[in-house]
């Protein structure tokens, strides 16, 4: 979603801003802009629809400055246009503002305070910058006081970065619900909505809390809490290499990230298991989970799908009832809870607004929680009682791949740890270290078969605008993720279906050559899924099977190595990721940045 960058005290401000925005491209956006000021009376505003490359083309050699702000916009209020792109500015050209989030009451504010002000955009952000200007001019307030007065009226989510031409070396920063960080560099300072944007400048960041207002100058960062008191805060170190965010020789990040999965499995085993395979998880976390009578896994999209697999792992290995919920639903229609619930938030980014909304309610109710995330110090990580990191390395492609498999593997380690302390024999007999080793080798064997999977994508999915993935139990859980991967990057309408349920209505959609792909990895249901595939074949479907070796028969399409049935999703999803990848690639689509989608969804 929208991205924010800012810098003060560096003569290369334009370069830093544009490179920062480039690093945020992966989050999804449709327009971009920068504002820079050179402290000598010159300033420049450049905005464009489309990509950062188009912004670069519009930045003429004279555009320069030492302080500036930049933004990538993912349209919420108003169409995609240059006028609606950020930075927005007040009519007297004094204030410049970039904003992530949504101001819920902007129409009311406009009507109440700004009825005589002409607007050039349809955005909620322009309302805020005009409001700040109004307070500065009419109430004779300095920028910070006018900013504070405007903030006190706003409802909704925001990360703001404001500049005032009368204090051109200062960035005014505030946030509520949307992420924003200050980076402390050598002789200058930066601001960004995602540390990744500024890793070339610094690895040392300061968190900003909701309600705080921060003033950033070249040599100083002043944080003030909601009551106006000064706050001292130490920086934290982001342990990520800027090169990890490059795609190297790969044509797309998604392919690189699919290929990284065997290593992610090994890294998780190294991080969370002893040499002998014993889980190394914080005792306090295990005790808090032991005290619960039910687990609630909360997530959105792919993370929700990883939760569906996690439910099976926690119930089978740890013998604890587990529910999985879509965060945007749970937030506003909470089911009846058990007496002692424990919440697990699955979120690659750690910033998903829907999931955060649930966490806010969980914290208000005083329930314990764990965030499983890929991003150190992300909002959900900071706000939950416990955090476990996925250590998957940055995931840049919009379509999540390695975060899904990392989430499942970490759920398995956690379920094993909990099952062991609960005295569950299944957990005691489950050799997780050996299994994750087999998974890593199995994944490698699958990614080495790319040519075959590309052929299958061409034969099955290129010519159809619809497809079905089917399976039972844990295979059904994977079929939902397989279908999501295909639809989001190839725009083929795909459905993941419980194979036994197909005949109760949806089979009406099967016609000649409709692709139906069956996952068969569970001994108990293999025969049933095969029968359901036959039913679709009898109606003309073009079927493909993705089967575990121990259950394979002649004529199966893709035979995958055997690992424990509970961990088969870690393998079955890989060909599904590659089928989606090659379908998108061969249709000539932008695999990493599919239309309408954003990597980190920070609005509800
Ligand atoms: C799909 C995808 C999304 C995310 C969802 C939640 O490939 O990436 O469905 O899984 O937006 O994001 P996180 O995990 O960051 O909370």
């Amino acid at each position: 979603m929208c991205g924010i960058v800012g810098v003060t005290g560096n003569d290369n401000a334009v370069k830093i801003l544009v490179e920062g925005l480039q690093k945020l491209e992966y989050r999804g956006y449709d327009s971009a802009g920068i504002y820079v000021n050179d402290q000598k009376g010159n300033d420049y505003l450049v905005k464009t629809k489309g990509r950062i490359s188009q912004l670069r083309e519009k930045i003429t050699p004279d555009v320069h400055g030492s302080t500036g702000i930049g933004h990538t916009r993912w349209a919420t209020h108003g169409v995609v246009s240059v006028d609606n792109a950020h930075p927005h500015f007040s009519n007297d050209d004094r204030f410049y503002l970039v904003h992530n989030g949504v101001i819920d009451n902007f129409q009311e504010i406009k009507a109440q305070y700004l009825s005589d002000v002409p607007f050039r955009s349809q955005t909620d952000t322009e309302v805020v910058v005009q409001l700040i200007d109004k307070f500065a001019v009419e109430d004779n307030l300095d920028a910070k006081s006018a900013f504070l007065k405007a903030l006190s009226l706003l409802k909704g989510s925001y990360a703001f970065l404001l500049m005032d031409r009368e204090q051109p070396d200062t960035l005014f920063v505030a946030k509520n619900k949307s992420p924003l960080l200050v980076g402390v560099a050598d002789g200058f300072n930066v601001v960004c909505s995602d540390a990744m944007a500024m890793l070339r400048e610094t690895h040392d960041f300061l968190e900003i809390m909701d309600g705080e207002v921060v003033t950033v100058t070249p040599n100083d960062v002043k944080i003030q809490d909601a009551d106006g008191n000064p706050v001292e805060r130490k920086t934290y170190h982001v342990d990520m290499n800027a090169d990890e965010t490059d795609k190297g020789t790969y044509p797309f990040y998604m392919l690189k990230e699919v290929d990284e999965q065997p290593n992610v499995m090994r890294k998780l085993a190294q991080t969370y298991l002893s040499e002998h395979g014993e889980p190394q998880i914080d005792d306090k976390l295990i005790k808090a989970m032991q005290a619960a009578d039910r687990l609630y896994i909360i997530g959105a999209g792919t993370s929700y799908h990883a939760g569906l697999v996690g439910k099976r792992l926690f119930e089978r290995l740890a013998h604890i009832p587990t529910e999985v919920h879509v965060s945007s639903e749970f937030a506003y229609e909470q089911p009846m809870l058990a007496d002692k619930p424990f919440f697990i938030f699955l979120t690659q980014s750690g910033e998903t607004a829907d999931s955060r909304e649930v966490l806010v309610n969980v914290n208000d109710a005083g329930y314990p929680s764990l965030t499983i995330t890929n991003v150190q110090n992300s909002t959900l990580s900071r706000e939950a009682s416990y955090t476990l990191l996925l250590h998957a390395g940055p995931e840049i492609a919009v379509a999540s791949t390695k975060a899904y498999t990392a989430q499942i593997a970490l759920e398995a380690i956690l379920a094993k740890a909990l099952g062991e302390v609960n005295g569950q024999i299944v957990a005691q007999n489950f050799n997780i270290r050996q299994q994750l080793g087999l998974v890593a080798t199995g994944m490698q064997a699958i990614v080495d078969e790319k040519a075959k999977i590309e052929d299958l994508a061409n034969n099955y999915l290129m010519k159809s605008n619809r497809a079905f993935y089917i399976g039972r139990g844990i295979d059904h859980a994977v079929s939902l993720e397989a279908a999501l991967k295909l639809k989001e990057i190839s725009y083929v309408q795909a459905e993941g279906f419980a194979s036994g349920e197909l005949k109760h209505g949806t089979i009406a959609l099967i016609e000649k050559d409709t692709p139906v792909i069956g996952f068969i990895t569970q001994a108990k249901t293999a025969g049933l899924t095969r029968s359901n595939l036959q039913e679709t074949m009898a109606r003309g479907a073009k079927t493909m099977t993705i089967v575990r070796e121990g259950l394979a028969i002649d004529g199966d399409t893709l035979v995958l190595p055997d690992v424990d049935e509970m961990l088969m999703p870690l393998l079955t999803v890989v060909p599904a990721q590659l089928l989606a990848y090659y379908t998108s690639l061969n249709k000539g689509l932008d695999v990493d940045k599919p239309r309408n989608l954003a990597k980190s969804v920070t609005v509800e």
Side-chain angles (χ1 to χ4, degrees):
M1 275 207 154
C2 306
I4 285 182
V5 288
V7 56
T8 178
N10 190 308
D11 288 337
N12 282 324
V14 173
K15 183 166 178 274
I16 292 172
L17 293 175
V18 175
E19 283 182 359
L21 291 178
Q22 194 113 43
K23 287 286 175 200
L24 297 182
E25 277 199 295
Y26 77 99
R27 298 169 72 97
Y29 69 105
D30 39 51
S31 48
I34 59 166
Y35 167 76
V36 280
N37 192 307
D38 74 353
Q39 324 290 317
K40 294 174 194 141
N42 303 306
D43 62 348
Y44 307 85
L45 175 71
V46 188
K47 307 204 274 184
T48 185
K49 285 207 291 185
R51 299 291 188 208
I52 301 301
S53 53
Q54 287 159 275
L55 184 68
R56 281 186 192 278
E57 279 164 23
K58 280 183 128 179
I59 299 176
T60 48
D62 58 312
V63 176
H64 70 283
S66 53
T67 303
I69 55 181
H71 191 263
T72 45
R73 173 174 188 253
W74 187 82
T76 55
H77 291 84
V79 296
V80 179
S81 69
V82 172
D83 278 342
N84 284 338
H86 301 216
H88 288 282
F89 51 103
S90 56
N91 285 342
D92 59 4
D93 275 359
R94 175 173 166 187
F95 291 101
Y96 288 77
L97 181 71
V98 291
H99 165 217
N100 287 354
V102 175
I103 303 302
D104 299 333
N105 61 338
F106 81 104
Q107 295 288 17
E108 290 91 312
I109 288 180
K110 200 170 171 180
Q112 190 174 342
Y113 296 93
L114 303 165
S115 54
D116 54 344
V117 174
F119 281 83
R120 61 182 82 78
S121 82
Q122 295 131 22
T123 62
D124 48 350
T125 311
E126 191 187 353
V127 172
V128 180
V129 76
Q130 304 283 18
L131 187 69
I132 294 167
D133 187 52
K134 179 188 171 82
F135 292 150
V137 174
E138 290 182 7
D139 301 348
N140 200 19
L141 296 177
D142 63 15
K144 187 170 159 194
S145 309
F147 190 31
L148 279 168
K149 185 165 176 185
L151 290 173
S152 71
L153 299 173
L154 303 183
K155 295 198 179 104
S157 58
Y158 53 78
F160 285 128
L161 192 47
L162 174 75
M163 280 183 69
D164 174 7
R165 280 173 108 193
E166 294 184 7
Q167 282 170 264
D169 70 343
T170 307
L171 302 171
F172 299 92
V173 183
K175 74 174 275 294
N176 184 44
K177 294 187 181 176
S178 297
L180 205 55
L181 301 168
V182 173
V184 179
D186 194 8
F188 65 102
N189 288 314
V190 295
V191 179
C192 51
S193 53
D194 179 336
M196 224 182 269
M198 288 296 168
L199 285 178
R200 288 193 196 283
E201 314 310 326
T202 181
H203 284 251
D204 297 319
F205 291 88
L206 279 165
E207 293 169 33
I208 307 173
M209 305 299 175
D210 286 356
E212 292 176 344
V213 170
V214 186
T215 40
V216 184
T217 48
N219 298 308
D220 197 20
V221 180
K222 280 200 171 62
I223 307 176
Q224 169 182 316
D225 71 13
D227 301 320
N229 305 310
V231 176
E232 288 298 320
R233 186 164 300 137
K234 287 206 169 75
T235 55
Y236 69 94
H237 191 76
V238 173
D239 208 9
M240 196 198 293
N241 188 335
D243 298 339
E244 281 185 70
T245 62
D246 289 337
K247 57 175 187 281
T249 54
Y250 281 90
F252 286 99
Y253 281 105
M254 183 178 173
L255 195 63
K256 172 174 181 264
E257 290 161 8
V258 167
D259 274 2
E260 282 169 352
Q261 293 178 108
N263 274 341
V264 173
M265 295 298 109
R266 293 185 190 109
K267 172 89 187 180
L268 282 170
Q270 259 170 28
T271 310
Y272 291 109
L273 297 174
S274 72
E275 244 178 77
H276 306 293
E278 287 308 309
Q280 310 284 290
I281 306 271
D282 179 1
D283 278 350
K284 287 200 203 100
L285 165 60
I286 296 295
K287 285 210 172 75
M289 292 181 78
Q290 258 189 307
D293 55 359
R294 189 169 284 253
L295 304 180
Y296 291 83
I297 302 181
I298 308 292
T302 290
S303 292
Y304 166 71
H305 294 157
L308 294 174
V309 178
K311 170 187 163 66
R312 271 83 178 183
L313 294 165
F314 285 111
E315 293 192 340
R316 286 187 208 171
L317 288 169
H319 204 67
I320 172 157
T322 304
E323 293 180 21
V324 194
H325 292 271
V326 167
S327 46
S328 56
E329 286 295 302
F330 193 96
Y332 297 96
E333 203 177 58
Q334 186 174 299
M336 212 176 106
L337 295 181
D339 288 343
K340 292 183 224 141
F342 184 96
F343 285 82
I344 300 176
F345 290 86
L346 293 182
T347 168
Q348 187 282 131
S349 63
E351 300 295 350
T352 300
D354 291 320
S355 303
R356 199 221 173 189
E357 189 60 31
V358 181
L359 179 53
V360 168
N361 298 339
V362 162
N363 284 343
D364 285 350
Y367 298 130
S369 59
L370 160 71
T371 291
I372 296 183
T373 181
N374 203 23
V375 182
Q376 186 194 357
N377 269 77
S378 52
T379 304
L380 274 102
S381 145
R382 290 200 309 264
E383 295 181 356
S385 331
Y386 303 92
T387 293
L388 291 176
L389 289 177
L390 293 171
H391 296 290
E395 191 182 67
I396 311 277
V398 162
S400 183
T401 52
K402 60 179 178 172
Y404 172 82
T405 44
Q407 282 169 339
I408 292 174
L410 191 44
E411 286 175 310
I413 294 170
L414 190 56
K416 152 97 179 164
L418 194 57
E420 275 193 344
V421 295
N422 281 348
Q424 293 299 318
I425 310 254
V426 199
Q428 283 159 2
N429 292 339
F430 183 59
N431 187 336
I432 181 104
R433 194 174 182 99
Q434 181 202 34
Q435 284 297 323
L436 287 180
L438 291 175
V439 166
T441 316
M443 284 174 159
Q444 192 60 54
I446 300 167
V447 298
D448 288 344
E449 292 268 348
K450 287 194 185 75
K452 180 169 183 191
I453 299 175
E454 181 169 9
D455 281 350
L456 291 171
N458 288 339
N459 287 337
Y460 282 79
L461 299 168
M462 285 293 287
K463 289 170 223 118
S464 179
N465 56 9
R466 82 157 75 114
F468 290 87
Y469 284 92
I470 66 170
R472 287 177 181 240
I474 216 163
D475 288 335
H476 172 227
V478 180
S479 77
L480 296 173
E481 175 57 11
L484 179 62
K485 284 290 90 79
L486 186 64
K487 43 190 163 191
E488 67 183 323
I489 60 169
S490 77
Y491 317 145
V492 171
Q493 189 173 6
E495 261 193 82
F497 230 81
S499 61
E501 183 67 5
L502 204 63
K503 59 187 175 296
H504 295 291
T506 309
I507 202 164
L509 291 173
I510 304 294
E511 51 192 26
K512 186 164 176 332
D513 289 339
T514 306
V516 179
I517 299 158
F519 291 117
I520 303 171
T521 70
Q522 310 292 304
K524 202 159 71 178
T525 54
L528 290 167
T529 301
R530 287 196 188 279
S531 303
N532 299 136
L533 278 167
Q534 289 291 337
E535 289 155 12
T536 66
M537 268 165 87
R539 284 147 186 94
K542 193 167 172 184
T543 60
M544 181 199 299
T545 50
I546 299 180
V547 185
R548 130 172 125 74
E549 202 172 349
L551 299 173
I553 57 172
D554 276 353
D556 276 327
T557 325
L558 269 179
V559 177
L560 310 181
D562 271 319
V563 299
D564 189 289
E565 282 196 351
M566 278 183 284
L567 296 187
M568 274 311 297
L570 293 172
L571 295 188
T572 42
V573 78
V574 181
Q577 294 166 345
L578 288 169
L579 284 170
Y581 174 80
Y582 284 113
T583 309
S584 173
L585 183 78
N586 292 334
K587 284 185 169 187
L589 301 171
D590 187 343
V591 178
D592 285 340
K593 297 189 214 88
R595 70 183 179 207
N596 305 340
L597 288 176
K599 182 67 185 163
S600 171
V601 185
T602 47
V603 294
E604 278 188 68

